[in-house]
Amino acid sequence: AQSVTQLGSHVSVSEGALVLLRCNYSSSVPPYLFWYVQYPNQGLQLLLKYTSAATLVKGINGFEAEFKKSETSFHLTKPSAHMSDAAEYFCAVRAQGAQKLVFGQGTRLTINP
Amino acid sequence: EAGVAQSPRYKIIEKRQSVAFWCNPISGHATLYWYQQILGQGPKLLIQFQNNGVVDDSQLPKDRFSAERLKGVDSTLKIQPAKLEDSAVYLCASSARGTSGGWGETQYFGPGTRLLVL
């Protein structure tokens, strides 16, 4: 079975500070990993995904994530937070051979001026 | 390219009533998904269609929920009768080829329908 744990349901950073959103996964087979962002009253939008190519993945809006197999992690980072980054972020995993995309509980990111 | 369309955007009903949601996926996308997102949680897959066939409905409460995708394009999700715990956002998503497109294929989400059951 596959699962995702997002550490911290709520993260608050100052504008211009580093953003770090944590995601750990569990999968018995090689996983495909995704980060989605959800703005208020909107659907989910793909930020980036890991599909077994480069372990450091760059996405939209200056976000990136690094796949670390030894730590079973796929943390999302952005060097400098912007007010427009305030949203809910979801990590998701899909194991090879699995039909289903499994989402974590989400992390709400707040940016302080 | 138009995105995934959903209607209505908001719906308020009383328990034991019925409700239906509609989804039109991105043109040409073979696979359509319905997710339930309860407040404070991540989306949970209810049902997945590949063209007009069901691929996975293991988490669909079949005693009250039903879904169809008759012509392999748009889809309807119905709840009858609704319960208080059905209050959630119902998200529709689509992908171009589903599992034949590879496990890393991107799913594109619509804006969702927010359901409140009183």
Side-chain angles (χ1 to χ4, degrees):
Chain A
Q2 50 191 351
S3 65
V4 169
T5 301
Q6 291 185 241
L7 300 175
S9 59
H10 192 186
V11 170
S12 181
V13 303
S14 298
E15 189 173 19
L18 171 72
V19 174
L20 171 61
L21 304 182
R22 300 177 187 274
C23 172
N24 287 89
Y25 69 90
S26 173
S27 176
S28 57
V29 296
Y32 291 88
L33 295 157
F34 305 77
W35 274 101
Y36 279 86
V37 60
Q38 186 176 34
Y39 297 102
N41 298 317
Q42 295 187 26
L44 280 70
Q45 179 185 5
L46 182 70
L47 274 178
L48 49 80
K49 62 181 178 181
Y50 167 74
T51 58
S52 73
T55 56
L56 182 61
V57 182
K58 294 188 183 298
I60 62 172
N61 302 338
F63 284 93
E64 64 181 35
E66 186 171 9
F67 172 70
K68 292 187 176 180
K69 184 178 179 180
S70 60
E71 299 177 8
T72 60
S73 70
F74 191 57
H75 301 330
L76 182 71
T77 61
K78 182 174 180 177
S80 178
H82 192 272
M83 296 298 291
S84 60
D85 295 327
E88 187 97 21
Y89 291 79
F90 292 93
C91 183
V93 63
R94 188 177 192 182
Q96 282 189 21
Q99 299 284 359
K100 201 172 299 182
L101 187 62
V102 175
F103 285 86
Q105 298 262 49
T107 297
R108 181 170 299 278
L109 177 64
T110 301
I111 311 297
N112 302 314
Chain B
E1 175 181 80
V4 177
Q6 291 188 246
S7 67
R9 292 295 311 275
Y10 305 92
K11 191 73 177 179
I12 301 174
I13 61 173
E14 295 189 351
K15 60 183 179 182
R16 291 187 290 274
Q17 286 187 322
S18 62
V19 65
F21 313 128
W22 174 82
C23 171
N24 191 29
I26 292 173
S27 178
H29 277 196
T31 307
L32 186 148
Y33 314 79
W34 282 103
Y35 288 88
Q36 180 191 58
Q37 185 180 18
I38 293 174
L39 187 65
Q41 299 181 20
K44 181 185 79 172
L45 180 70
L46 292 175
I47 189 167
Q48 177 182 340
F49 292 95
Q50 180 84 12
N51 297 309
N52 60 354
V54 175
V55 173
D56 184 348
D57 63 356
S58 58
Q59 298 190 102
L60 186 74
K62 298 180 185 66
D63 57 334
R64 298 183 301 106
F65 285 64
S66 64
E68 59 183 14
R69 193 186 185 199
L70 293 176
K71 297 182 179 179
V73 181
D74 56 352
S75 175
T76 303
L77 176 70
K78 296 180 181 177
I79 308 175
Q80 182 179 7
K83 293 185 175 181
L84 297 177
E85 59 261 35
D86 298 331
S87 294
V89 176
Y90 291 85
L91 295 165
C92 180
S94 70
S95 63
R97 297 170 59 195
T99 53
S100 60
W103 310 114
E105 188 177 58
T106 298
Q107 294 184 20
Y108 297 87
F109 285 79
T113 296
R114 187 174 299 273
L115 174 68
L116 178 60
V117 182
L118 302 175

